[in-house]
């Protein structure tokens, strides 16, 4: 089974801190995604990547950046954390973008609280 | 603007009865539709998908129906079980174009199955 591992399940940070959320997948998937989940708002796409060193903005990229230096690793960076970035962050990967039913495999999530 | 909509934030069903979760979409370019299930403190897991060239796909207790003319799909769970209690997300995919591989999610429906 494909495994998507998010390094931290729970984090508590202070306003203004720089925050790194790490995600690693072990099945040589091309595509990687970062979502945040908030009650009543569902899953909102922050950034995604189809290849190493490649990134594209999703629907809510403001306040975030990403890094994909290796195929298996996709990092989400909050340059200066704010309280409105308190959320559940979900990393996902999928095999490639040419297959039809592009099933995403999600990690277990990282619950971030910004005080 | 939301391209995938789940208008019922919650649904409560008795064990053994049918659960019907609904989803509407606006973009006629979507050609695959997927359902994900999410338990608290876990990442979403893939449940079932359907191609736009079909109108029904069945997998055990789960059946997805697609009505392209109405831009509507539904997930039927029969019989419902308490372990089905989770948030269900509808998602849609365009398999052609620059956003290849990106899923568009609805806001989710919380299903509660009571004994």
């Amino acid at each position: 089974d494909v495994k998507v591992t998010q390094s931290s399940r729970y984090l508590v940070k202070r306003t203004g801190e720089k925050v790194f959320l790490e995600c690693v997948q072990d099945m040589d998937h091309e595509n990687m995604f970062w979502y945040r989940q908030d009650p009543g708002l569902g899953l909102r796409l922050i950034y995604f990547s189809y290849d190493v060193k490649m990134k594209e903005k999703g629907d809510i990229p403001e306040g975030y950046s990403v890094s994909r230096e290796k195929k298996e690793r996709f990092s989400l960076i909050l340059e200066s954390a704010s309280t409105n970035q308190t959320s559940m962050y979900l990393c996902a990967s999928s095999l490639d973008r040419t297959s039809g039913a592009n099933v995403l495999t999600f990690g277990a999530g990282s619950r971030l609280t910004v005080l | 603007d939301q391209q995938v909509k789940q208008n019922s934030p919650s649904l409560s069903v008795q064990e053994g009865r049918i659960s019907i979760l609904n989803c509407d979409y606006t973009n006629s370019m979507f050609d695959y539709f997927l359902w994900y299930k999410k338990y608290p403190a876990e990442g979403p897991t893939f449940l079932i998908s359907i191609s736009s060239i079909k109108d029904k796909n069945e997998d055990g207790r789960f059946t997805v129906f697609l009505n392209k003319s109405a831009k509507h799909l539904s997930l039927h769970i029969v019989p419902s079980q308490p372990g089905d209690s989770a948030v269900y997300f509808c998602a849609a995919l365009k398999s052609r174009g620059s956003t290849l591989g990106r899923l568009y999610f609805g806001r989710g429906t919380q299903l509660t199955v009571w004994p």
Side-chain angles (χ1 to χ4, degrees):
Chain A
D1 275 355
V2 175
K3 206 173 223 183
V4 177
T5 304
Q6 295 183 232
S7 56
S8 305
R9 291 299 306 273
Y10 300 95
L11 303 96
V12 179
K13 298 291 182 181
R14 299 218 171 265
T15 301
E17 279 192 76
K18 191 169 186 175
V19 181
F20 292 87
L21 299 178
E22 305 286 346
C23 175
V24 177
Q25 49 94 3
D26 66 359
M27 283 297 288
D28 204 34
H29 280 184
E30 290 188 9
N31 308 330
M32 297 190 75
F33 304 80
W34 275 105
Y35 289 87
R36 63 179 279 179
Q37 184 200 3
D38 300 287
L41 297 179
L43 298 172
R44 294 183 292 167
L45 182 63
I46 305 170
Y47 268 98
F48 56 109
S49 169
Y50 290 136
D51 202 351
V52 176
K53 296 192 186 295
M54 176 273 175
K55 61 185 178 184
E56 288 198 32
K57 293 180 179 178
D59 297 322
I60 52 165
E62 296 79 18
Y64 303 95
S65 62
V66 290
S67 172
R68 195 164 181 203
E69 296 295 319
K70 294 184 177 182
K71 189 174 185 178
E72 67 271 16
R73 187 180 295 271
F74 192 37
S75 304
L76 180 69
I77 304 153
L78 287 67
E79 294 290 343
S80 178
S82 63
T83 54
N84 63 12
Q85 292 178 309
T86 292
S87 186
M88 168 71 88
Y89 290 88
L90 292 160
C91 176
S93 71
S94 64
L95 181 58
D96 61 62
R97 57 176 173 153
T98 60
S99 59
N102 202 12
V103 175
L104 294 183
T105 300
F106 283 87
S110 298
R111 168 71 65 184
L112 172 66
T113 301
V114 183
L115 303 176
Chain B
D1 194 26
Q2 278 234 298
Q3 299 187 54
V4 177
K5 298 177 184 178
Q6 294 176 256
N7 292 319
S8 298
S10 64
L11 175 68
S12 183
V13 171
Q14 188 176 25
E15 181 179 7
R17 308 291 280 260
I18 184 171
S19 295
I20 300 176
L21 295 97
N22 293 305
C23 178
D24 298 293
Y25 62 96
T26 58
N27 193 330
S28 58
M29 297 297 291
F30 289 140
D31 50 8
Y32 279 92
F33 303 90
L34 303 89
W35 286 93
Y36 281 80
K37 179 168 75 172
K38 186 181 184 302
Y39 293 117
E42 294 183 14
T45 54
F46 169 71
L47 193 57
I48 192 170
S49 66
I50 187 167
S51 162
S52 60
I53 63 172
K54 297 186 175 183
D55 55 17
K56 177 182 174 181
N57 188 27
E58 194 171 349
D59 183 2
R61 297 186 296 113
F62 302 91
T63 303
V64 56
F65 295 92
L66 176 62
N67 182 334
K68 280 184 67 177
S69 60
K71 294 191 177 69
H72 176 84
L73 63 154
S74 60
L75 174 68
H76 293 213
I77 306 173
V78 183
S80 301
Q81 299 173 354
D84 296 329
S85 297
V87 177
Y88 288 79
F89 291 100
C90 173
L93 167 72
K94 288 184 279 188
S95 62
R96 289 171 293 278
S98 62
T99 55
L100 199 68
R102 179 198 158 158
L103 290 182
Y104 294 81
F105 283 91
R107 293 186 176 183
T109 298
Q110 170 70 56
L111 172 66
T112 302
V113 181
W114 47 280

